[in-house]
Amino acid sequence: MAGPPTGAVTCCVQRPARSARKVSRPPVGIYFRLFRHRRFAGLCSGQIVSLIGDAFFPIIVVVAAAKAGTPAETIGAVFAARFVALGGVVLFSGALLDRFDPVRAAVVADSTRVVALAVLAFVWDGRLDAVVVAVAVLVGLCEAVSEPALLVIAPRVLDRRNPTAAAGPAEGPAPAEDAEVTAAYGLLEGLRNVSGMVGPTLAAAVVAGLGSSAGAVLAAVTFGLSAVATRWAGAHLVAGSRSDAPAQKPEPAGEEPEASRPDGDGPGEPEPEPEPSLLHSAMQGLIVLWRIPWLRSVQLLAVVHVVFAVGPWMVALPVFLVEGGHSATLYGFVLGAFAIGNAVGALVGGRIGGPRRGLYALALLALYGLTVLAPVASGSLVLLTVAFVAGGIGQQAFDVAKMTGLRRDVPEELHGRAFSADFFFSFASLPLGQLLGAALLRFADPRTIMLWGGALVLVSTAAVTLRPDVRRFSSAPVATSVPAAPTPLVER
């Protein structure tokens, strides 16, 4: 918010009036206002093109390997190498983001992918397995850095203490408002989902028409543009990080520094504490999520959902549809409806606020339980489409609200590690859930698995709302209304 004019009489009564004016604005208007921040708009543009570039790599590998007669095992090894690299280092990447500048880290990640895809374009012929596996590992490592880095960078770009963060002059000493940051996360996730739908289609068309090498070159160009946009958007942050070190206090003229006096009378400078190891720093991200009660409850809820409901449901759903006489087209159609719901849900989550933000987010998450049950309850295409769109909205809105609450309650120096740990939980749990689903299909029919999954989502989501801090998505106590003090008389 803008700071008070110099010399004016201020009072705490004035702030609620400004908040009331903000609430009266149209909800969707905040997304248009975000694009007035030129650097945030540049950051979004870079992310759009890089997310499209992300879709090229798997399609390039599949098409080129199929033309060269590469065995299916090699293709599977390439994808496994990418995800093992991503999941294996994402906790450590958060520690690096908190130690070093996240803007530089994101730019290095994009630049590395430019080089890796250029190598893929001009060296790989579909048969050099070591080359494509190495590229897959590099792509996974870079994703482990860029995913949490974006969540750290975006609020800092919006911080109004930086004169270059907004299109106009600085508006005051206060950082970016919580509503702005929530909307920014919603907008970024919405763009991610839209790019996730457009990217594969564009990649398939380019690779089919121009070949795998042309697709790799175009993907490299997208990451190059992303690196340039990210560096420009965070230029003031990089410049500010150089001046963060406190200036050394000058010694009085003619006197030696206390630490270097031979008589030892002075106390001297305290010896700097040794920097903790990277492993210790990475574990702090897990520890901070565990020590905040509402975050611990929400993370456990997410793991339970993914392992025991989402993963088994993803395995059982196509089997259930095929056994019910439906074609594979229906499966692809409902998944597309779910992706559309994700894109809408990100924007919905970006508008969740207030003291009951957690309750609203969990109520939306419960829609996913209805999505799981929908194929069992009805075979109507219309009802299935509505259910899958609703489930996509609920899941993504919950994720955006959770990310905003995490940023609000976790100290800023731990943001990189906390976001990396949050990403690790959701990423590492899904393969376990899918393995469990494959095992359950040997003992139970798909219908039973889906009924169990839907019931688990609904019951567990309702149970976690019993905690007051979970209903707020905040550790802070509920603010009590205090009568405003009378405005003091100030002499000019």
Side-chain angles (χ1 to χ4, degrees):
M1 286 184 288
T6 304
V9 178
T10 59
C11 176
C12 60
V13 181
Q14 295 174 348
R15 294 193 174 220
R18 294 191 64 185
S19 299
R21 287 198 301 269
K22 290 188 177 185
V23 172
S24 64
R25 293 179 181 176
V28 75
I30 193 168
Y31 293 114
F32 295 104
R33 293 199 301 274
L34 283 174
F35 281 103
R36 296 177 185 173
H37 297 262
R38 295 181 296 110
R39 296 190 181 274
F40 179 76
L43 183 68
C44 289
S45 302
Q47 287 304 305
I48 291 172
V49 294
S50 70
L51 289 169
I52 292 176
D54 281 334
F56 275 77
F57 178 73
I59 293 177
I60 291 169
V61 171
V62 171
V63 173
K67 289 181 178 179
T70 303
E73 292 81 3
T74 302
I75 300 175
V78 170
F79 292 144
R82 176 187 180 184
F83 288 109
V84 168
L86 172 59
V89 303
V90 67
L91 290 176
F92 300 97
S93 68
L96 291 174
L97 291 173
D98 287 334
R99 287 190 182 188
F100 305 107
D101 179 60
V103 175
R104 288 196 182 102
V107 171
V108 169
D110 282 336
S111 302
T112 303
R113 282 184 280 192
V114 171
V115 176
L117 286 163
V119 170
L120 192 68
F122 299 110
V123 177
W124 188 52
D125 60 358
R127 298 181 184 275
L128 298 176
D129 300 337
V131 173
V132 71
V133 170
V135 171
V137 170
L138 283 176
V139 170
L141 294 176
C142 294
E143 288 175 341
V145 173
S146 59
E147 293 283 344
L150 177 64
L151 300 177
V152 176
I153 295 169
R156 298 182 186 179
V157 170
L158 287 171
D159 195 331
R160 299 188 181 206
R161 290 172 295 185
N162 298 304
T164 54
E171 297 187 21
E177 299 173 15
D178 187 63
E180 263 193 341
V181 175
T182 305
Y185 282 157
L187 182 59
L188 287 169
E189 290 298 311
L191 294 174
R192 178 187 302 277
N193 286 294
V194 172
S195 299
M197 291 185 286
V198 175
T201 304
L202 179 61
V206 170
V207 172
L210 302 178
S212 299
S213 295
V217 169
L218 183 57
V221 170
T222 64
F223 289 119
L225 292 174
S226 175
V228 172
T230 303
R231 181 63 179 82
W232 177 79
H236 59 296
L237 304 178
V238 175
S241 65
R242 295 173 186 157
S243 58
D244 285 343
Q248 187 175 1
K249 183 180 178 180
E251 294 288 338
E255 295 188 15
E256 294 180 4
E258 291 182 346
S260 62
R261 290 176 187 169
D263 55 7
D265 293 337
E269 292 292 335
E271 297 220 1
E273 296 182 2
E275 194 170 20
S277 66
L278 193 61
L279 177 61
H280 182 269
S281 296
M283 291 301 103
Q284 285 183 332
L286 298 174
I287 293 170
V288 72
L289 293 185
W290 185 260
R291 286 183 176 175
I292 298 177
W294 78 265
L295 268 175
R296 179 172 66 239
S297 300
V298 170
Q299 292 293 345
L300 290 175
L301 176 70
V303 171
V304 167
H305 281 190
V306 172
V307 174
F308 298 104
V310 178
W313 173 74
M314 291 177 67
V315 176
L317 176 62
V319 178
F320 177 81
L321 293 176
V322 171
E323 289 182 351
H326 300 287
S327 65
T329 305
L330 177 63
Y331 179 63
F333 182 81
V334 294
L335 289 184
F338 191 82
I340 293 173
N342 280 157
V344 177
L347 301 179
V348 173
R351 297 303 300 144
I352 296 178
R356 296 181 181 177
R357 56 174 69 90
L359 184 62
Y360 301 148
L362 289 165
L364 288 167
L365 179 63
L367 295 175
Y368 183 74
L370 301 178
T371 302
V372 176
L373 295 173
V376 178
S378 173
S380 168
L381 179 60
V382 175
L383 292 179
L384 285 178
T385 302
V386 172
F388 274 74
V389 170
I393 292 174
Q395 184 193 62
Q396 192 64 66
F398 168 81
D399 286 342
V400 171
K402 180 186 66 172
M403 285 190 296
T404 309
L406 184 153
R407 178 188 174 273
R408 185 172 48 246
D409 274 15
V410 172
E412 185 175 2
E413 63 271 14
L414 293 171
H415 279 174
R417 281 164 279 186
F419 282 124
S420 296
D422 177 66
F423 182 69
F424 173 79
F425 276 122
S426 59
F427 175 83
S429 302
L430 185 57
L432 295 177
Q434 291 173 326
L435 287 174
L436 178 62
L440 289 175
L441 280 176
R442 298 179 62 88
F443 306 99
D445 60 280
R447 179 187 180 90
T448 302
I449 294 174
M450 297 174 73
L451 287 172
W452 158 258
L456 177 64
V457 170
L458 293 173
V459 172
S460 59
T461 303
V464 80
T465 59
L466 297 177
R467 292 185 57 95
D469 55 343
V470 173
R471 294 196 295 269
R472 297 191 302 270
F473 270 14
S474 174
S475 299
V478 179
T480 56
S481 58
V482 180
T487 305
L489 297 176
V490 178
E491 294 183 2
R492 301 256 177 142

mmCIF file of all heavy atoms in Angstrom, residues 219-255:
data_model
loop_
_atom_site.group_PDB
_atom_site.id
_atom_site.type_symbol
_atom_site.label_atom_id
_atom_site.label_comp_id
_atom_site.label_asym_id
_atom_site.label_seq_id
_atom_site.Cartn_x
_atom_site.Cartn_y
_atom_site.Cartn_z
ATOM 1 N N ALA A 219 12.660 -25.408 -29.115
ATOM 2 C CA ALA A 219 12.595 -25.503 -27.656
ATOM 3 C C ALA A 219 13.741 -24.744 -27.012
ATOM 4 O O ALA A 219 13.561 -24.058 -25.990
ATOM 5 C CB ALA A 219 12.615 -26.965 -27.230
ATOM 6 N N ALA A 220 14.947 -24.842 -27.601
ATOM 7 C CA ALA A 220 16.092 -24.096 -27.072
ATOM 8 C C ALA A 220 15.844 -22.596 -27.142
ATOM 9 O O ALA A 220 16.192 -21.846 -26.215
ATOM 10 C CB ALA A 220 17.356 -24.471 -27.840
ATOM 11 N N VAL A 221 15.204 -22.150 -28.218
ATOM 12 C CA VAL A 221 14.896 -20.720 -28.361
ATOM 13 C C VAL A 221 13.925 -20.274 -27.255
ATOM 14 O O VAL A 221 14.077 -19.184 -26.682
ATOM 15 C CB VAL A 221 14.312 -20.435 -29.755
ATOM 16 C CG1 VAL A 221 13.763 -19.021 -29.840
ATOM 17 C CG2 VAL A 221 15.383 -20.644 -30.832
ATOM 18 N N THR A 222 12.933 -21.100 -26.938
ATOM 19 C CA THR A 222 11.973 -20.715 -25.891
ATOM 20 C C THR A 222 12.668 -20.537 -24.551
ATOM 21 O O THR A 222 12.371 -19.603 -23.797
ATOM 22 C CB THR A 222 10.852 -21.758 -25.763
ATOM 23 O OG1 THR A 222 11.391 -23.005 -25.334
ATOM 24 C CG2 THR A 222 10.115 -21.936 -27.067
ATOM 25 N N PHE A 223 13.603 -21.434 -24.227
ATOM 26 C CA PHE A 223 14.309 -21.293 -22.960
ATOM 27 C C PHE A 223 15.254 -20.099 -22.980
ATOM 28 O O PHE A 223 15.482 -19.466 -21.939
ATOM 29 C CB PHE A 223 15.069 -22.580 -22.632
ATOM 30 C CG PHE A 223 14.169 -23.725 -22.262
ATOM 31 C CD1 PHE A 223 14.147 -24.885 -23.020
ATOM 32 C CD2 PHE A 223 13.336 -23.634 -21.171
ATOM 33 C CE1 PHE A 223 13.319 -25.939 -22.685
ATOM 34 C CE2 PHE A 223 12.493 -24.682 -20.826
ATOM 35 C CZ PHE A 223 12.485 -25.832 -21.588
ATOM 36 N N GLY A 224 15.818 -19.784 -24.144
ATOM 37 C CA GLY A 224 16.634 -18.586 -24.239
ATOM 38 C C GLY A 224 15.823 -17.327 -23.992
ATOM 39 O O GLY A 224 16.255 -16.416 -23.264
ATOM 40 N N LEU A 225 14.624 -17.263 -24.567
ATOM 41 C CA LEU A 225 13.743 -16.117 -24.331
ATOM 42 C C LEU A 225 13.334 -16.040 -22.862
ATOM 43 O O LEU A 225 13.255 -14.947 -22.280
ATOM 44 C CB LEU A 225 12.500 -16.227 -25.216
ATOM 45 C CG LEU A 225 12.728 -16.077 -26.729
ATOM 46 C CD1 LEU A 225 11.434 -16.360 -27.488
ATOM 47 C CD2 LEU A 225 13.252 -14.686 -27.065
ATOM 48 N N SER A 226 13.091 -17.193 -22.261
ATOM 49 C CA SER A 226 12.730 -17.210 -20.845
ATOM 50 C C SER A 226 13.866 -16.687 -19.975
ATOM 51 O O SER A 226 13.642 -15.949 -19.016
ATOM 52 C CB SER A 226 12.363 -18.631 -20.421
ATOM 53 O OG SER A 226 12.113 -18.700 -19.028
ATOM 54 N N ALA A 227 15.109 -17.074 -20.305
ATOM 55 C CA ALA A 227 16.261 -16.596 -19.535
ATOM 56 C C ALA A 227 16.379 -15.076 -19.628
ATOM 57 O O ALA A 227 16.617 -14.393 -18.612
ATOM 58 C CB ALA A 227 17.540 -17.264 -20.044
ATOM 59 N N VAL A 228 16.198 -14.532 -20.822
ATOM 60 C CA VAL A 228 16.291 -13.083 -21.006
ATOM 61 C C VAL A 228 15.174 -12.376 -20.226
ATOM 62 O O VAL A 228 15.410 -11.365 -19.531
ATOM 63 C CB VAL A 228 16.224 -12.727 -22.504
ATOM 64 C CG1 VAL A 228 16.128 -11.219 -22.701
ATOM 65 C CG2 VAL A 228 17.448 -13.278 -23.237
ATOM 66 N N ALA A 229 13.941 -12.892 -20.318
ATOM 67 C CA ALA A 229 12.809 -12.259 -19.634
ATOM 68 C C ALA A 229 12.979 -12.321 -18.121
ATOM 69 O O ALA A 229 12.698 -11.345 -17.408
ATOM 70 C CB ALA A 229 11.508 -12.939 -20.060
ATOM 71 N N THR A 230 13.428 -13.463 -17.596
ATOM 72 C CA THR A 230 13.617 -13.594 -16.151
ATOM 73 C C THR A 230 14.711 -12.667 -15.657
ATOM 74 O O THR A 230 14.585 -12.032 -14.602
ATOM 75 C CB THR A 230 13.952 -15.051 -15.795
ATOM 76 O OG1 THR A 230 12.913 -15.907 -16.282
ATOM 77 C CG2 THR A 230 14.085 -15.232 -14.295
ATOM 78 N N ARG A 231 15.802 -12.578 -16.412
ATOM 79 C CA ARG A 231 16.900 -11.691 -16.008
ATOM 80 C C ARG A 231 16.445 -10.235 -16.011
ATOM 81 O O ARG A 231 16.791 -9.463 -15.111
ATOM 82 C CB ARG A 231 18.083 -11.874 -16.980
ATOM 83 C CG ARG A 231 19.307 -11.014 -16.637
ATOM 84 C CD ARG A 231 19.861 -11.411 -15.282
ATOM 85 N NE ARG A 231 21.048 -10.622 -14.945
ATOM 86 C CZ ARG A 231 21.036 -9.414 -14.437
ATOM 87 N NH1 ARG A 231 19.866 -8.813 -14.217
ATOM 88 N NH2 ARG A 231 22.160 -8.790 -14.137
ATOM 89 N N TRP A 232 15.648 -9.834 -17.003
ATOM 90 C CA TRP A 232 15.158 -8.461 -17.045
ATOM 91 C C TRP A 232 14.170 -8.200 -15.906
ATOM 92 O O TRP A 232 14.226 -7.162 -15.242
ATOM 93 C CB TRP A 232 14.492 -8.185 -18.385
ATOM 94 C CG TRP A 232 13.906 -6.806 -18.466
ATOM 95 C CD1 TRP A 232 14.554 -5.633 -18.703
ATOM 96 C CD2 TRP A 232 12.522 -6.457 -18.274
ATOM 97 N NE1 TRP A 232 13.675 -4.580 -18.683
ATOM 98 C CE2 TRP A 232 12.429 -5.049 -18.419
ATOM 99 C CE3 TRP A 232 11.363 -7.205 -18.003
ATOM 100 C CZ2 TRP A 232 11.220 -4.371 -18.299
ATOM 101 C CZ3 TRP A 232 10.152 -6.520 -17.880
ATOM 102 C CH2 TRP A 232 10.080 -5.125 -18.038
ATOM 103 N N ALA A 233 13.265 -9.151 -15.664
ATOM 104 C CA ALA A 233 12.261 -8.958 -14.614
ATOM 105 C C ALA A 233 12.907 -8.849 -13.236
ATOM 106 O O ALA A 233 12.428 -8.096 -12.383
ATOM 107 C CB ALA A 233 11.257 -10.119 -14.632
ATOM 108 N N GLY A 234 13.985 -9.595 -13.004
ATOM 109 C CA GLY A 234 14.631 -9.574 -11.695
ATOM 110 C C GLY A 234 15.899 -8.766 -11.649
ATOM 111 O O GLY A 234 16.699 -8.935 -10.722
ATOM 112 N N ALA A 235 16.101 -7.860 -12.614
ATOM 113 C CA ALA A 235 17.351 -7.087 -12.667
ATOM 114 C C ALA A 235 17.544 -6.275 -11.400
ATOM 115 O O ALA A 235 18.650 -6.206 -10.859
ATOM 116 C CB ALA A 235 17.353 -6.184 -13.895
ATOM 117 N N HIS A 236 16.480 -5.632 -10.898
ATOM 118 C CA HIS A 236 16.610 -4.812 -9.699
ATOM 119 C C HIS A 236 16.860 -5.668 -8.466
ATOM 120 O O HIS A 236 17.470 -5.219 -7.496
ATOM 121 C CB HIS A 236 15.354 -3.956 -9.510
ATOM 122 C CG HIS A 236 14.100 -4.751 -9.388
ATOM 123 N ND1 HIS A 236 13.600 -5.532 -10.404
ATOM 124 C CD2 HIS A 236 13.239 -4.902 -8.350
ATOM 125 C CE1 HIS A 236 12.479 -6.119 -10.005
ATOM 126 N NE2 HIS A 236 12.248 -5.757 -8.772
ATOM 127 N N LEU A 237 16.388 -6.925 -8.482
ATOM 128 C CA LEU A 237 16.650 -7.822 -7.356
ATOM 129 C C LEU A 237 18.109 -8.237 -7.319
ATOM 130 O O LEU A 237 18.728 -8.314 -6.263
ATOM 131 C CB LEU A 237 15.757 -9.063 -7.454
ATOM 132 C CG LEU A 237 14.253 -8.808 -7.533
ATOM 133 C CD1 LEU A 237 13.499 -10.114 -7.676
ATOM 134 C CD2 LEU A 237 13.786 -8.056 -6.290
ATOM 135 N N VAL A 238 18.668 -8.522 -8.500
ATOM 136 C CA VAL A 238 20.084 -8.886 -8.571
ATOM 137 C C VAL A 238 20.951 -7.719 -8.136
ATOM 138 O O VAL A 238 21.905 -7.872 -7.379
ATOM 139 C CB VAL A 238 20.458 -9.327 -10.004
ATOM 140 C CG1 VAL A 238 21.953 -9.593 -10.104
ATOM 141 C CG2 VAL A 238 19.677 -10.574 -10.387
ATOM 142 N N ALA A 239 20.599 -6.512 -8.586
ATOM 143 C CA ALA A 239 21.370 -5.337 -8.202
ATOM 144 C C ALA A 239 21.273 -5.086 -6.706
ATOM 145 O O ALA A 239 22.243 -4.714 -6.050
ATOM 146 C CB ALA A 239 20.884 -4.109 -8.983
ATOM 147 N N GLY A 240 20.066 -5.329 -6.142
ATOM 148 C CA GLY A 240 19.893 -5.123 -4.711
ATOM 149 C C GLY A 240 20.665 -6.111 -3.868
ATOM 150 O O GLY A 240 21.117 -5.808 -2.775
ATOM 151 N N SER A 241 20.843 -7.337 -4.383
ATOM 152 C CA SER A 241 21.547 -8.349 -3.605
ATOM 153 C C SER A 241 23.013 -8.010 -3.431
ATOM 154 O O SER A 241 23.663 -8.457 -2.503
ATOM 155 C CB SER A 241 21.413 -9.712 -4.285
ATOM 156 O OG SER A 241 22.057 -9.711 -5.539
ATOM 157 N N ARG A 242 23.569 -7.189 -4.336
ATOM 158 C CA ARG A 242 24.972 -6.816 -4.210
ATOM 159 C C ARG A 242 25.197 -5.833 -3.071
ATOM 160 O O ARG A 242 26.295 -5.707 -2.570
ATOM 161 C CB ARG A 242 25.450 -6.175 -5.518
ATOM 162 C CG ARG A 242 25.431 -7.127 -6.693
ATOM 163 C CD ARG A 242 25.742 -6.393 -7.974
ATOM 164 N NE ARG A 242 25.592 -7.268 -9.123
ATOM 165 C CZ ARG A 242 25.373 -6.838 -10.361
ATOM 166 N NH1 ARG A 242 25.278 -5.543 -10.588
ATOM 167 N NH2 ARG A 242 25.260 -7.687 -11.352
ATOM 168 N N SER A 243 24.141 -5.094 -2.705
ATOM 169 C CA SER A 243 24.291 -4.094 -1.648
ATOM 170 C C SER A 243 23.673 -4.540 -0.339
ATOM 171 O O SER A 243 23.450 -3.733 0.549
ATOM 172 C CB SER A 243 23.638 -2.785 -2.087
ATOM 173 O OG SER A 243 22.266 -2.992 -2.375
ATOM 174 N N ASP A 244 23.366 -5.861 -0.227
ATOM 175 C CA ASP A 244 22.755 -6.349 0.999
ATOM 176 C C ASP A 244 23.755 -6.459 2.150
ATOM 177 O O ASP A 244 23.364 -6.449 3.307
ATOM 178 C CB ASP A 244 22.112 -7.725 0.770
ATOM 179 C CG ASP A 244 20.831 -7.587 -0.011
ATOM 180 O OD1 ASP A 244 20.314 -6.465 -0.074
ATOM 181 O OD2 ASP A 244 20.363 -8.590 -0.574
ATOM 182 N N ALA A 245 25.060 -6.627 1.856
ATOM 183 C CA ALA A 245 26.042 -6.794 2.911
ATOM 184 C C ALA A 245 26.166 -5.502 3.699
ATOM 185 O O ALA A 245 26.264 -4.407 3.140
ATOM 186 C CB ALA A 245 27.393 -7.166 2.307
ATOM 187 N N PRO A 246 26.117 -5.580 5.032
ATOM 188 C CA PRO A 246 26.209 -4.354 5.826
ATOM 189 C C PRO A 246 27.568 -3.695 5.675
ATOM 190 O O PRO A 246 28.590 -4.361 5.567
ATOM 191 C CB PRO A 246 25.991 -4.853 7.259
ATOM 192 C CG PRO A 246 26.353 -6.302 7.229
ATOM 193 C CD PRO A 246 26.021 -6.777 5.847
ATOM 194 N N ALA A 247 27.549 -2.389 5.646
ATOM 195 C CA ALA A 247 28.807 -1.653 5.515
ATOM 196 C C ALA A 247 29.621 -1.787 6.782
ATOM 197 O O ALA A 247 29.074 -1.800 7.895
ATOM 198 C CB ALA A 247 28.513 -0.175 5.228
ATOM 199 N N GLN A 248 30.938 -1.885 6.659
ATOM 200 C CA GLN A 248 31.804 -2.024 7.798
ATOM 201 C C GLN A 248 31.904 -0.693 8.520
ATOM 202 O O GLN A 248 32.094 0.358 7.914
ATOM 203 C CB GLN A 248 33.192 -2.480 7.347
ATOM 204 C CG GLN A 248 34.101 -2.804 8.529
ATOM 205 C CD GLN A 248 35.415 -3.376 8.048
ATOM 206 O OE1 GLN A 248 35.619 -3.489 6.846
ATOM 207 N NE2 GLN A 248 36.287 -3.717 8.971
ATOM 208 N N LYS A 249 31.775 -0.753 9.819
ATOM 209 C CA LYS A 249 31.819 0.466 10.618
ATOM 210 C C LYS A 249 33.236 1.023 10.629
ATOM 211 O O LYS A 249 34.174 0.306 10.990
ATOM 212 C CB LYS A 249 31.352 0.160 12.036
ATOM 213 C CG LYS A 249 31.304 1.393 12.923
ATOM 214 C CD LYS A 249 30.843 1.016 14.312
ATOM 215 C CE LYS A 249 30.825 2.230 15.219
ATOM 216 N NZ LYS A 249 30.386 1.876 16.587
ATOM 217 N N PRO A 250 33.438 2.279 10.252
ATOM 218 C CA PRO A 250 34.799 2.824 10.220
ATOM 219 C C PRO A 250 35.364 3.009 11.616
ATOM 220 O O PRO A 250 34.642 3.367 12.550
ATOM 221 C CB PRO A 250 34.617 4.161 9.496
ATOM 222 C CG PRO A 250 33.197 4.542 9.745
ATOM 223 C CD PRO A 250 32.433 3.258 9.827
ATOM 224 N N GLU A 251 36.643 2.746 11.760
ATOM 225 C CA GLU A 251 37.321 2.945 13.032
ATOM 226 C C GLU A 251 37.699 4.421 13.174
ATOM 227 O O GLU A 251 37.949 5.115 12.187
ATOM 228 C CB GLU A 251 38.578 2.072 13.081
ATOM 229 C CG GLU A 251 38.277 0.585 13.079
ATOM 230 C CD GLU A 251 37.687 0.119 14.401
ATOM 231 O OE1 GLU A 251 37.898 0.805 15.428
ATOM 232 O OE2 GLU A 251 37.005 -0.915 14.403
ATOM 233 N N PRO A 252 37.772 4.910 14.405
ATOM 234 C CA PRO A 252 38.207 6.304 14.601
ATOM 235 C C PRO A 252 39.598 6.522 14.050
ATOM 236 O O PRO A 252 40.432 5.621 14.068
ATOM 237 C CB PRO A 252 38.178 6.466 16.134
ATOM 238 C CG PRO A 252 37.248 5.394 16.619
ATOM 239 C CD PRO A 252 37.393 4.270 15.654
ATOM 240 N N ALA A 253 39.843 7.727 13.546
ATOM 241 C CA ALA A 253 41.135 8.024 12.934
ATOM 242 C C ALA A 253 42.257 7.871 13.949
ATOM 243 O O ALA A 253 42.140 8.286 15.103
ATOM 244 C CB ALA A 253 41.132 9.454 12.376
ATOM 245 N N GLY A 254 43.369 7.278 13.514
ATOM 246 C CA GLY A 254 44.545 7.118 14.347
ATOM 247 C C GLY A 254 44.493 5.931 15.273
ATOM 248 O O GLY A 254 45.389 5.743 16.084
ATOM 249 N N GLU A 255 43.432 5.129 15.241
ATOM 250 C CA GLU A 255 43.328 3.951 16.103
ATOM 251 C C GLU A 255 43.309 2.697 15.262
ATOM 252 O O GLU A 255 42.789 2.673 14.164
ATOM 253 C CB GLU A 255 42.050 4.017 16.956
ATOM 254 C CG GLU A 255 42.052 5.159 17.943
ATOM 255 C CD GLU A 255 40.854 5.051 18.883
ATOM 256 O OE1 GLU A 255 40.238 3.965 18.923
ATOM 257 O OE2 GLU A 255 40.533 6.040 19.542
#
